[in-house]
Amino acid sequence: MRASQFLISTLKEAPADAEVASHKLMMRAGMIKKLGAGIYTYMPMGLRVIRKVEAIVREEMDRAGAVECAMPVVQPAELWQESGRFEKMGPELLRIKDRHDRDFVVQPTSEEVVTDIARQELRSYKQLPKNLYQIQTKFRDERRPRFGLMRGREFTMKDAYSFDRDQASAKKSYEAMAQAYRRIFDRFGLRYRAVAADSGAIGGDLSEEFQVIAATGEDAIVYSPESQYAANMEKAEALAPKGPRKAAAQAMQKVPTPGKSTCEQVAELLKVPLDTTVKSLVLATDRMDAQGGIVGTQVWLLLVRGDHDMNEIKVGKVPGLDVGYRFATVPEIEAHFGTRPGYLGPIALKQKVKIVADREVALMADWICGANEEGFHLTGVNWGRDLPEPDAVADLRNVVEGDPSPDGKGRLAIERGIEIGHIFYLGTKYSKAMNATFLDEDGKPKVFEMGCYGIGITRLPAAAIEQNHDERGIIWPDAIAPFTVVVCPIGMDRSAEVKTAAEKLHDELVAAGIDVMLDDRGERPGAMFADWELIGVPHRVVISDRGLKEGQVEYQHRRDAAATKTAVADIAAFLKGRLAA
Amino acid sequence: MRASQFLISTLKEAPADAEVASHKLMMRAGMIKKLGAGIYTYMPMGLRVIRKVEAIVREEMDRAGAVECAMPVVQPAELWQESGRFEKMGPELLRIKDRHDRDFVVQPTSEEVVTDIARQELRSYKQLPKNLYQIQTKFRDERRPRFGLMRGREFTMKDAYSFDRDQASAKKSYEAMAQAYRRIFDRFGLRYRAVAADSGAIGGDLSEEFQVIAATGEDAIVYSPESQYAANMEKAEALAPKGPRKAAAQAMQKVPTPGKSTCEQVAELLKVPLDTTVKSLVLATDRMDAQGGIVGTQVWLLLVRGDHDMNEIKVGKVPGLDVGYRFATVPEIEAHFGTRPGYLGPIALKQKVKIVADREVALMADWICGANEEGFHLTGVNWGRDLPEPDAVADLRNVVEGDPSPDGKGRLAIERGIEIGHIFYLGTKYSKAMNATFLDEDGKPKVFEMGCYGIGITRLPAAAIEQNHDERGIIWPDAIAPFTVVVCPIGMDRSAEVKTAAEKLHDELVAAGIDVMLDDRGERPGAMFADWELIGVPHRVVISDRGLKEGQVEYQHRRDAAATKTAVADIAAFLKGRLAA
């Protein structure tokens, strides 16, 4: 490709609304162009990256035995009503009415459509297992689209859906995808981790996220440097500390703590370590009748150590809270605790509440908590003596650096990541809701066991940039660079030798199947180099009259501090060798 | 590919709503699956065809120097309001409101977005010419979606847009696309014609349609077998007949024709040829004030020969009618002609109307028309004697078979076609409306000269099938077949020899880069052959125990009446040779 025939459009400054590096750099490098909030045109330079991502994903999905199809972007609402998602999903589901006032959605995913295909086309166990995938435009009407392609509204996703006759086979399909995902992310040339994840609202048991490691990532990744253990923060288990509980050493005492309602403030006031304090969180669960009317409410008090954070996913799994919980209202709190929020604790309650202690709190002695009286805390509190043992003990908190690894090997470390892939074992959630069955070997209809597997195709380039950039611009891994090599001739318009050498190298690399860009725009060297460093082409060859006189050109990898002189006769072979490796 | 790993789903019967061959066969062959009216999932077998179409289009667009990008499917309304299309386009433009109640559209084309990109990115004449294209999902909310992919609502289009500094350069860009389109359609292996077309509402001068020849096509294509002349029916000119007008031979006479209001009925009643009668069409044009109020109306009478059809596009080009015309109302007709529609004519008018005669009618003598009196016609009518010469003479009619070719070479023939591509020279329609300018060599801003160029990617397979099918199914051209070769082993599960030979051939063809399908499903030969004939794979090899005993396999092209025995040792080389040709 010659630059004069391409569309190169770099900017000195990123637009004001670009906050993260990938967004700034993709805008400055002319890879994307904003059309509206969270809606971008993929410009020629950016589209080349996306097409390479797609090609690698497609190759590996095909290799794993998945079959590609393409489901409509605009989908009639009927199937979405059948699964219940048309009603359940919030405003992020973009709804449309056509000319006949019929309801449609722009697909955010395609579980409904693919399950509908399966129940019609996969009639016999002999056709199973089957994995159908698509690389298709999606839309999610995010409340706050931001970070460019990282959290856009329109985006491209690879979504795959597996159909199996039983759980054992479904787990094999899941495993095949887990392996394919590793091959895919290995080929991208990115540092990533596959981490155990909570399967969340989508249901099912097995779930892994593929996270590109980047300091700017939105997600916390928990791992053990001494083992294979890795999970996201929602999922990572905080093991119970080694017991037994220490014996009580202090008497319980009410101390004035006026205006000090947080654990941090109380610890500072009392000059005690934060980990001797206990935080209170008051939740409520409602019992409904068949019509959805509330017929009874249970109030819960959850306790975690003052230096720990509550984990909402874990809270949602506590028996009794797993039906769906809410924060208690101020009147509910006053009725049970006799005071307003700020100085709450488990002692001297007006009405009974269910107390759930974090594993850590359950083993504490001589701890500090609110006194249920404005301006006062209790110190020297002890289980069994000052209050009954908790109704339940559970893992309620986020892990922290140094916690023991749940697999028993080493201590946990935490780093940041960007989720670019997610694989789920779905079970029968959709197949049951949509009565999607096949005839099993015994001649009886049976619902499919399903899995679903996503890769954020257009998010991936952004994640790659977050991981690979410097102050001058992007540094693409070879596999997804818009061009692998850029040939920068200096004074191509003045020197026939430079022109000939540049074009010869370009043509030879093209013939070898290497994606090469010849910058024939006639820019000054400084501007030309700055453009390609911004755009992030990994391999650069500079051809100048002065160099050619010595029979040399200059090669520089985007990560190299300086250029290396290379014989002009050897450069093509050198690049071919380096890129084949 | 092995059939057991793919998704093959053939039907004996097409669904009731499938009217045309391509729709029936694509449904029966499991290529597409209906999700809603005019909305289809591209199933694995169909998607393979579409991907091949895309790849050929992409290669040739790139070769022609166009640069690929991808504009959003969901587009904010602002640019569409700027061009005026948000208001002007009817309900076929799918409109959306997002969670903030802002207006969006699902793109039916992308003139607005690409013009917006150009006015920002193409700042200097040095960056011109530039041609940007995308292969992207489109949506048109057709009133009556039908014929499967032929007239769907969601579809894929390749749309390209050229930007030039002046008309001469724009015409070169147009010509480059005309040549690229010929290369593309040549590669598809389809019989097609490039025909001159009216540029219609989209504006501009140069316009050609690429029509796949098929008896079931919706469009009439006019061509001269003796020259390069080809045009669509809207555009094809009916030359003026050789004059002079014959002398009058009959006296004008009023004859009773009760209940006979059409030319056909009158000619039958009077026992005269249909081409002695003249049809009347009454139109009106309104003169507006600045606020759009009607301040005056002109009534027009258009006359064409009884055996000819009026051509609305040509009528719209008559000076005075080119401002936009409508059919006259019954009160307007009664006020001017003194009678209701049915027996109208140009003689004995109550009020003056403008009379436009088709070129053919202007040279007629002794003709028949309505008498402006219920139940009566006039015969022996002659220009100049019985009524004044017409106010204007124009080409108002569709050409018919045998008309002289407008290029003076031979006589016109007519065949049917399916439009799969269209190229337009747009001029400055959009660049002016959106003030899209670049700095020209003289340092002054100048609006872009534009062209636009479409190919119906998902319509193309349907058109290919309309042209290439028989009673057993589809017959794909090699270039866009889902699989080029199918290997059908008979009794693969029983015979190790058959299995080995089939797998060896499959692997050898795969290694040669040939798209081969090995049918390992274990179907009976009849059902297996019927499936592949329906699906339309062009080359078939049957491997059986009996054949192998003689060292032979059977080769059959989908168009061959019978199979040819070929030595098993030669078959791979034979196929490679045949497919390389």
Side-chain angles (χ1 to χ4, degrees), chain A residues 90-348:
Chain A
E92 74 269 25
L93 180 63
L94 190 64
R95 293 164 170 88
I96 313 181
K97 285 191 183 288
D98 75 353
R99 67 191 295 155
H100 303 296
D101 215 39
R102 283 187 293 243
D103 287 311
F104 289 80
V105 306
V106 180
Q107 64 158 318
T109 58
S110 274
E111 280 83 357
E112 284 79 0
V113 173
V114 79
T115 304
D116 183 53
I117 290 171
R119 70 182 167 183
Q120 294 178 63
E121 300 297 334
L122 303 177
R123 287 168 292 241
S124 157
Y125 71 96
K126 288 182 195 162
Q127 291 170 281
L128 303 181
K130 201 65 81 189
N131 185 328
L132 281 170
Y133 79 98
Q134 63 175 347
I135 297 178
Q136 181 63 301
T137 303
K138 306 284 190 298
F139 201 96
R140 285 190 198 160
D141 199 357
E142 298 273 354
R143 180 191 301 271
R144 257 195 76 198
R146 58 202 165 127
F147 304 156
L149 298 195
M150 200 80 88
R151 191 168 294 281
R153 295 202 284 176
E154 183 169 316
F155 58 98
T156 303
M157 191 165 101
K158 187 284 297 171
D159 42 330
Y161 306 89
S162 63
F163 296 88
D164 281 273
R165 59 188 293 208
D166 56 32
Q167 285 196 5
S169 165
K171 283 178 184 171
K172 273 189 208 155
S173 294
Y174 176 93
E175 269 315 313
M177 281 295 105
Q179 282 172 31
Y181 272 46
R182 282 182 167 75
R183 280 196 301 267
I184 289 168
F185 294 118
D186 285 344
R187 285 183 63 183
F188 286 146
L190 300 175
R191 282 172 296 117
Y192 71 94
R193 274 185 202 280
V195 306
D198 192 81
S199 55
I202 205 157
D205 290 332
L206 285 173
S207 171
E208 272 164 282
E209 289 170 1
F210 290 78
Q211 296 266 3
V212 168
I213 310 301
T216 52
E218 285 189 287
D219 297 332
I221 304 171
V222 179
Y223 68 101
S224 168
E226 287 155 62
S227 76
Q228 291 300 309
Y229 182 82
N232 67 10
M233 187 52 87
E234 285 69 41
K235 174 85 175 175
E237 186 183 2
L239 292 182
K242 292 225 169 74
R245 191 190 288 157
K246 274 192 200 152
Q250 305 172 9
M252 187 169 82
Q253 205 178 338
K254 187 158 85 177
V255 297
T257 53
K260 310 294 183 189
S261 62
T262 69
C263 286
E264 286 79 3
Q265 291 166 336
V266 171
E268 199 188 341
L269 177 75
L270 303 180
K271 300 192 168 49
V272 296
L274 188 56
D275 65 6
T276 63
T277 66
V278 168
K279 262 193 280 216
S280 294
L281 182 75
V282 187
L283 302 177
T285 49
D286 297 315
R287 215 166 55 249
M288 311 277 191
D289 63 16
Q291 281 71 47
I294 297 176
V295 296
T297 293
Q298 172 67 55
V299 172
W300 301 71
L301 175 64
L302 275 67
L303 301 172
V304 295
R305 215 168 68 185
D307 60 332
H308 283 158
D309 288 325
M310 195 76 73
N311 179 311
E312 289 181 26
I313 301 286
K314 293 178 178 178
V315 170
K317 293 189 169 171
V318 172
L321 288 167
D322 56 357
V323 297
Y325 65 85
R326 59 178 173 82
F327 290 100
T329 63
V330 171
E332 283 169 344
I333 290 174
E334 287 181 326
H336 288 79
F337 294 83
T339 183
R340 295 172 59 83
Y343 297 86
L344 301 180
I347 292 174

Side-chain angles (χ1 to χ4, degrees), chain A residues 228-546:
Chain A
Q228 291 300 309
Y229 182 82
N232 67 10
M233 187 52 87
E234 285 69 41
K235 174 85 175 175
E237 186 183 2
L239 292 182
K242 292 225 169 74
R245 191 190 288 157
K246 274 192 200 152
Q250 305 172 9
M252 187 169 82
Q253 205 178 338
K254 187 158 85 177
V255 297
T257 53
K260 310 294 183 189
S261 62
T262 69
C263 286
E264 286 79 3
Q265 291 166 336
V266 171
E268 199 188 341
L269 177 75
L270 303 180
K271 300 192 168 49
V272 296
L274 188 56
D275 65 6
T276 63
T277 66
V278 168
K279 262 193 280 216
S280 294
L281 182 75
V282 187
L283 302 177
T285 49
D286 297 315
R287 215 166 55 249
M288 311 277 191
D289 63 16
Q291 281 71 47
I294 297 176
V295 296
T297 293
Q298 172 67 55
V299 172
W300 301 71
L301 175 64
L302 275 67
L303 301 172
V304 295
R305 215 168 68 185
D307 60 332
H308 283 158
D309 288 325
M310 195 76 73
N311 179 311
E312 289 181 26
I313 301 286
K314 293 178 178 178
V315 170
K317 293 189 169 171
V318 172
L321 288 167
D322 56 357
V323 297
Y325 65 85
R326 59 178 173 82
F327 290 100
T329 63
V330 171
E332 283 169 344
I333 290 174
E334 287 181 326
H336 288 79
F337 294 83
T339 183
R340 295 172 59 83
Y343 297 86
L344 301 180
I347 292 174
L349 298 166
K350 293 278 169 203
Q351 287 185 54
K352 194 172 158 28
V353 302
K354 279 207 177 170
I355 296 179
V356 187
D358 179 62
R359 288 167 171 175
E360 200 75 42
V361 173
L363 289 186
M364 284 169 75
D366 300 326
W367 38 283
I368 298 169
C369 63
N372 288 332
E373 186 180 341
E374 178 98 17
F376 288 92
H377 276 79
L378 299 172
T379 63
V381 178
N382 282 281
W383 293 108
R385 184 189 76 182
D386 306 319
L387 76 169
E389 294 292 333
D391 296 300
V393 175
D395 176 16
L396 299 179
R397 68 172 176 97
N398 285 340
V399 296
V400 294
E401 293 255 0
D403 275 343
S405 177
D407 67 355
K409 296 175 187 161
R411 300 202 158 266
L412 294 177
I414 296 176
E415 61 189 352
R416 311 295 302 175
I418 300 165
E419 185 189 338
I420 42 165
H422 201 153
I423 58 177
F424 290 101
Y425 165 52
L426 274 175
T428 57
K429 177 183 159 88
Y430 287 92
S431 49
K432 263 194 186 146
M434 295 179 62
N435 194 29
T437 61
F438 62 97
L439 285 186
D440 208 351
E441 206 162 0
D442 58 9
K444 288 185 185 149
K446 201 168 158 186
V447 292
F448 295 103
E449 290 285 337
M450 289 175 60
C452 74
Y453 316 95
I455 291 178
I457 298 286
T458 45
R459 176 186 267 193
L460 195 120
I465 294 171
E466 291 296 333
Q467 187 178 83
N468 299 283
H469 68 275
D470 60 18
E471 67 293 347
R472 288 172 292 152
I474 303 167
I475 308 170
W476 289 110
D478 288 356
I480 56 175
F483 297 94
T484 324
V485 177
V486 59
V487 177
C488 294
I490 296 181
M492 186 168 168
D493 47 344
R494 296 186 310 270
S495 161
E497 287 75 19
V498 168
K499 186 165 188 288
T500 305
E503 288 177 343
K504 182 167 172 285
L505 177 58
H506 171 268
D507 295 350
E508 194 170 342
L509 295 179
V510 167
I514 292 170
D515 259 335
V516 57
M517 165 60 82
L518 170 59
D519 192 343
D520 60 350
R521 293 175 300 165
E523 294 278 341
R524 285 172 306 103
M528 177 162 58
F529 297 164
D531 270 355
W532 294 111
E533 286 174 352
L534 173 58
I535 292 165
V537 172
H539 305 273
R540 183 179 82 191
V541 179
V542 178
I543 300 181
S544 67
D545 248 340
R546 206 173 49 189

Side-chain angles (χ1 to χ4, degrees), chain B residues 1-3 8 45 478 481-490 502 505-506 509 514-521 525 527-543 553-558 571 575 579:
Chain B
M1 178 65 72
R2 284 158 184 267
I8 295 167
M45 193 70 78
D478 287 356
F483 296 94
T484 324
V485 178
V486 59
V487 177
C488 295
I490 295 182
L505 177 59
H506 170 268
L509 295 179
I514 292 171
D515 259 335
V516 57
M517 164 60 83
L518 170 58
D519 192 344
D520 61 350
R521 292 175 299 165
M528 176 161 58
F529 297 164
D531 270 355
W532 295 111
E533 286 174 350
L534 173 59
I535 292 165
V537 172
H539 305 272
R540 184 179 81 192
V541 179
V542 178
I543 301 181
V553 298
E554 289 188 352
Y555 166 80
Q556 187 166 0
H557 188 276
R558 179 67 178 75
I571 183 68
L575 284 167
L579 292 170

Side-chain angles (χ1 to χ4, degrees), chain B residues 329-349:
Chain B
T329 63
V330 170
E332 284 168 343
I333 290 175
E334 286 181 327
H336 288 79
F337 294 84
T339 183
R340 295 171 59 83
Y343 297 86
L344 302 179
I347 293 172
L349 298 164

